[in-house]
Amino acid sequence: MRYCKNCLQPDTRPNTRFSQDGICPACTYYSKHKEVDWAERTQIIHRLAQSYKNPAAQYDCIIGVSGGKDSVRQALWVRDYLKLRPLLVCLSYPPHQVTDIGVDNLSNLIELGFDLIQVCPAPETWRKLMALAFEKFANWARATELALFSAVPRLAIDYKIPLILWGENPGLQLGDLGTLGRTGYDGNNLRNMNTLSGGSNDWMTSAGFGKKDLIAYNYPSAEEFLEHNIQIIYLGWFLGDWSLNNNAMVSALNGLSVRHDSPSNTGDLYGVSSLDEDWVTLNQMIKYYKFGFGRASDYANEMIRMGTFTREEGIDVVKRFDGACSEKYIADFCDFIGITNTDFWEKVRSIVNPDLFDLTGNMITPKFSVGKGLS
Ligand SMILES: [Zn+2]
């Protein structure tokens, strides 16, 4: 395990590759920000927006939303600055999973004047797939993320709206290099991201789920994209100040409700991530045990790049909050998928990376030191 020399990104992130100087892709991307010709990018996005305006149709584009900080910022920017007419699409969590804040934030988007379609996959299939994914991969979101990502292009095809606007470019802004497209804003390779490309769906079909059960979980193929002229565009490439904090600030000024739980329960320094449900926090903890970094790292890295944190301040925060997860979230999750707390920890311990952590009894202790790596 090596850390980026600038931030606290370890090279254990899937699909990442550091430069020869030991710098992570996201830091390389941000370091070039000052040289970017933002006026040129503004011209490009206005030209693109113009080419997709379709007075004969009800909508010019689709934006996938959760109601959270990125959604609000994107929706407002697209409507009020680019002057496009977006249809917002939200894949809803089942009633047991969605939070009150999540519901409030969707209402907020509607109150801001947007049309919004909610896609709600059958809750019982959702729950069973979640339980199966946790049992097989210690990752309950394996199936549900497929549904989250697939809802938008499936609706784009069904509603004949060829332009999909997406926020972050995971290749440039996170370092998931498989997603890079022909240009910095071409998002049609989003299908290669770690979440979507993690093997076939055989694990679902061999467990007895039929084709019809899984319609919501199928990301349209490259051929379908071509046939329907679907184009995904990453808006983050055009917005020099795209960040967790800036998006949260803009959105809070436009009615976003945020989380009031402490970072020691969530690893979330400002309470602005994954507002619509509580169990992504579990997955962030499990990610930490697999790869040695969690949600606090994502915050710290961004703040180091922006100059808000020194590397030392980042190390302090990451040490304290990476891998944090409230017992209450774990208990609610176990209750939902029908397992005991002992089952849960047995599964988690089975996936702990033995190169990175010591496992003694119930204790899981890191072998690495944050910012330095393995000694
Ligand atoms: Zn870095």
Side-chain angles (χ1 to χ4, degrees):
M1 177 200 223
R2 271 190 315 151
Y3 278 92
C4 168
K5 285 189 180 154
N6 182 53
C7 73
L8 299 170
Q9 180 63 62
D11 61 357
T12 47
R13 180 188 277 280
N15 289 353
T16 206
R17 199 171 48 238
F18 284 12
S19 73
Q20 282 189 341
D21 306 331
I23 303 293
C24 76
C27 282
T28 306
Y29 173 70
Y30 279 98
S31 69
K32 289 182 184 153
H33 254 206
K34 286 192 198 105
E35 301 154 25
V36 168
D37 185 345
W38 294 104
E40 186 193 21
R41 289 195 184 179
T42 303
Q43 279 177 1
I44 296 172
I45 189 63
H46 278 296
R47 218 168 34 232
L48 281 167
Q50 198 57 37
S51 71
Y52 279 96
K53 277 184 184 159
N54 181 1
Q58 197 175 353
Y59 303 105
D60 300 315
C61 60
I62 286 196
I63 306 177
V65 297
S66 64
K69 58 186 178 355
D70 297 356
S71 316
V72 177
R73 181 154 191 219
Q74 281 176 73
L76 290 171
W77 198 70
V78 165
R79 182 189 67 184
D80 301 341
Y81 179 71
L82 296 181
K83 308 290 183 204
L84 290 171
R85 292 161 308 153
L87 170 64
L88 309 189
V89 174
C90 172
L91 187 104
S92 285
Y93 288 108
H96 279 90
Q97 191 175 357
V98 71
T99 58
D100 290 347
I101 297 178
V103 176
D104 287 348
N105 283 333
L106 278 185
S107 302
N108 180 52
L109 276 174
I110 296 166
E111 279 166 16
L112 287 168
F114 292 98
D115 287 355
L116 185 140
I117 291 184
Q118 277 186 280
V119 181
C120 312
E124 194 49 21
T125 308
W126 179 278
R127 190 183 67 78
K128 285 180 181 161
L129 283 170
M130 214 175 189
L132 180 67
F134 183 73
E135 184 198 318
K136 285 190 91 70
F137 311 108
N139 175 7
W140 65 257
R142 182 85 170 231
T144 58
E145 281 182 344
L146 290 174
L148 282 169
F149 280 93
S150 306
V152 176
R154 281 194 310 108
L155 251 86
I157 291 171
D158 291 347
Y159 281 65
K160 302 188 171 37
I161 306 172
L163 177 62
I164 297 171
L165 297 174
W166 200 261
E168 193 162 60
N169 177 335
L172 295 174
Q173 288 164 303
L174 294 175
D176 190 342
L177 298 175
T179 61
L180 294 177
R182 290 167 291 128
T183 58
Y185 56 83
D186 169 22
N188 278 12
N189 283 336
L190 191 65
R191 69 179 63 257
N192 299 331
M193 80 183 290
N194 192 42
T195 310
L196 292 174
S197 62
S200 72
N201 290 348
D202 289 354
W203 64 276
M204 296 191 267
T205 42
S206 59
F209 292 96
K211 244 186 171 169
K212 281 184 186 161
D213 297 321
L214 299 176
I215 290 172
Y217 302 85
N218 269 318
Y219 195 82
S221 66
E223 291 72 30
E224 283 175 280
F225 265 61
L226 262 178
E227 188 188 332
H228 298 277
N229 279 323
I230 303 295
Q231 179 64 53
I232 301 179
I233 288 181
Y234 296 128
L235 292 179
W237 194 75
F238 298 99
L239 290 159
D241 61 348
W242 179 272
S243 71
L244 279 165
N245 279 330
N246 286 339
N247 294 1
M249 213 148 56
V250 170
S251 301
L253 291 170
N254 286 284
L256 182 82
S257 302
V258 300
R259 204 183 264 282
H260 297 292
D261 215 342
S262 86
S264 49
N265 283 331
T266 59
D268 184 341
L269 303 192
Y270 298 108
V272 294
S273 295
S274 307
L275 299 171
D276 48 356
E277 63 87 74
D278 289 330
W279 300 333
V280 168
T281 299
L282 254 72
N283 258 15
Q284 290 283 341
M285 175 187 77
I286 292 167
K287 179 176 92 177
Y288 171 71
Y289 291 134
K290 279 184 183 168
F291 303 114
F293 70 98
R295 189 185 263 156
S297 287
D298 289 337
Y299 274 96
N301 290 339
E302 189 179 283
M303 291 168 82
I304 292 170
R305 282 174 210 131
M306 300 207 153
T308 322
F309 267 7
T310 62
R311 200 166 186 274
E312 288 310 308
E313 285 167 328
I315 288 174
D316 177 53
V317 162
V318 169
K319 269 187 186 162
R320 281 196 288 157
F321 300 121
D322 243 1
C325 180
S326 155
E327 284 295 330
K328 181 182 180 310
Y329 298 158
I330 296 173
D332 289 347
F333 170 77
C334 291
D335 195 38
F336 183 63
I337 68 162
I339 60 169
T340 64
N341 188 275
T342 314
D343 297 335
F344 175 83
W345 282 107
E346 202 172 296
K347 177 50 70 179
V348 172
R349 275 197 295 275
S350 76
I351 58 82
V352 170
N353 184 337
D355 294 333
L356 301 178
F357 292 91
D358 265 326
L359 259 169
T360 321
N362 286 341
M363 295 292 291
I364 310 174
T365 347
K367 291 180 181 174
F368 55 89
S369 48
V370 178
K372 294 197 180 84
L374 287 161
S375 48

